[in-house]
Amino acid sequence: PNLLNEMESAYAESQLTRGVAMPADSVAFGLWLRLPLDVETAWEGIDLDVKFVDGADTLHTIPLRYDGRSDATWRYFEGDLSLLPQPLQLRSIWLRTRSFDPDFRQNLAFDAFTAVLPNGDTIIFEDFEEETAVWGAIDFSQLFTLHSTVTPFSGDNRLDIGFGQRGASSSIW
């Protein structure tokens, strides 16, 4: 029992407090996504969810939907937060696809995490331009240097989720 209590405490301290704080009173969350394939049919099988944790440490899963906005190879996805208790922290992004071979050797790219405020204003609250405790640069492996020519949606940086052999993945900022 003591060991389990220690493990629970360590988990609560390290995991439940992690996340990116959403701007106060956000009614929607959005992000720009770039797929490794520049093919229209690749977008048809995309399911995108985001998980948030509220002030009571309750986890909420919000589906994101493509809203019709696109820019070159980037598309904007947005989800409704209006019914969730505030404050919120972004915990994770979940992407499922049936559109391309899971053994591909390229990267998904995310950029410009946005919050929609009650008055309708949209603000970018995470653009990956500054190193933070949540995101940080890592060394590029030989695999990733082959695919590091993706132009960010905005600014100079983006968040890449790279997939290597046998589906192994790592984040690149």
Side-chain angles (χ1 to χ4, degrees):
N2 289 340
L3 180 58
L4 285 176
N5 288 338
E6 285 180 36
M7 291 171 62
E8 275 186 9
S9 296
Y11 177 79
E13 290 172 14
S14 68
Q15 296 297 319
L16 293 178
T17 57
R18 287 186 184 175
V20 177
M22 290 291 294
D25 301 322
S26 298
V27 297
F29 166 82
L31 59 78
W32 287 87
L33 171 66
R34 180 195 173 276
L35 295 182
L37 301 176
D38 189 14
V39 179
E40 187 64 29
T41 56
W43 293 98
E44 294 172 3
I46 295 295
D47 291 316
L48 192 59
D49 296 320
V50 181
K51 295 187 186 275
F52 294 92
V53 65
D54 64 24
D57 291 329
T58 303
L59 199 61
H60 303 274
T61 302
I62 301 298
L64 300 184
R65 302 286 178 249
Y66 172 55
D67 80 345
R69 286 184 270 178
S70 62
D71 184 350
T73 58
W74 292 87
R75 290 197 178 185
Y76 183 74
F77 289 77
E78 190 172 275
D80 183 16
L81 304 179
S82 62
L83 300 178
L84 299 186
Q86 302 281 331
L88 293 170
Q89 286 190 342
L90 170 64
R91 288 296 302 274
S92 59
I93 302 167
W94 295 72
L95 183 137
R96 294 172 304 283
T97 180
R98 300 170 301 282
S99 301
F100 48 87
D101 183 349
D103 203 28
F104 66 87
R105 299 292 187 267
Q106 295 190 39
N107 56 321
L108 303 167
F110 296 90
D111 204 355
F113 288 2
T114 62
V116 179
L117 302 179
N119 64 3
D121 288 348
T122 300
I123 59 171
I124 296 175
F125 70 93
E126 179 61 84
D127 58 7
F128 306 104
E129 299 303 312
E130 309 257 340
E131 187 167 352
T132 68
V134 177
W135 315 110
I138 63 171
D139 293 334
F140 283 80
S141 69
Q142 182 178 7
L143 168 71
F144 294 120
T145 58
L146 298 174
H147 306 290
S148 62
T149 59
V150 174
T151 301
F153 173 75
S154 67
D156 295 324
N157 295 306
R158 68 198 184 274
L159 175 68
D160 287 356
I161 307 298
F163 292 84
Q165 295 180 354
R166 292 181 291 284
S169 65
S170 62
S171 299
I172 303 171
W173 169 79

